[in-house]
Amino acid sequence: MRDRAWELIAWSTAIWAERLLLAGLLVSGGLMGLGTAWDIHWHWTVGRDWFWTPPHMLLYSGSALAGFLAFLVVFRTSVERGSPGVRMMLRSLLSRGWGSVAIGSALMIAAAVFDDFWHRTVGDRAIWSPPHVMGVTGGLIISLGTTIALLHAGRRQVLPPSWVR
């Protein structure tokens, strides 16, 4: 009886941990969306002044949050299975959409570095410059991973199916 109670407590804790991770993904998506909209407006009204603008910080903090959450999933999964080897970490990262989140986040962070370099050397003021396209691609990949993670959570009944729809 006591073992069953501990199993239920562990299961409930795991469900709430996954719900918090998914909520964090949604928050990071919101930060990236707000940062993107603000950045587009900033470029049209103020122009390109420097890299460390508030819209960029909002946008890239959302991306960093998504990457951090993907790292937590990898770490948690590898620790639960008892072998934090590289293959186990990669397998857990690539499952349930979290791999897409990690890849998209890495792409967006790389786009940030490329964007700063691009504007310093080329000075291009175009909205659709190569680093911006790279960043948008990273954001789309994060969104795809978030969608897969939410659908997977709904299928396993971590979230109510009506929330996933």
Side-chain angles (χ1 to χ4, degrees):
M1 183 75 162
R2 178 180 251 177
D3 291 338
R4 178 72 178 142
W6 282 112
E7 273 182 37
L8 288 173
I9 290 170
W11 178 79
S12 176
T13 304
I15 293 292
W16 278 104
E18 189 167 353
R19 287 177 180 171
L20 284 173
L21 287 168
L22 292 168
L25 265 186
L26 293 174
V27 167
S28 73
L31 290 173
M32 288 185 294
L34 287 172
T36 300
W38 190 10
D39 189 41
I40 290 169
H41 179 32
W42 187 283
H43 279 284
W44 281 109
T45 57
V46 177
R48 168 87 173 122
D49 49 357
W50 70 319
F51 179 75
W52 300 102
T53 60
H56 280 175
M57 294 302 96
L58 190 62
L59 171 65
Y60 294 122
S61 66
S63 178
L65 175 62
F68 177 72
L69 293 174
F71 170 77
L72 283 179
V73 168
V74 171
F75 184 73
R76 181 182 68 125
T77 305
S78 63
V79 167
E80 282 177 358
R81 294 187 181 158
S83 110
V86 173
R87 282 182 36 195
M88 183 64 70
M89 290 174 125
L90 289 174
R91 189 177 309 135
S92 65
L93 178 64
L94 295 174
S95 66
R96 299 177 309 214
W98 290 97
S100 296
V101 171
I103 290 167
S105 180
L107 192 60
M108 282 193 71
I109 298 300
V113 175
F114 183 32
D115 185 48
D116 190 40
F117 171 77
W118 179 270
H119 289 298
R120 285 178 194 252
T121 57
V122 176
D124 187 17
R125 290 185 181 258
I127 293 291
W128 290 109
S129 64
H132 289 176
V133 171
M134 187 175 163
V136 167
T137 303
L140 290 173
I141 293 171
I142 290 173
S143 297
L144 174 68
T146 301
T147 303
I148 292 170
L150 288 169
L151 289 173
H152 184 63
R155 197 173 339 126
R156 292 183 308 112
Q157 297 181 348
V158 171
L159 296 175
S162 61
W163 290 14
V164 178
R165 279 188 227 117

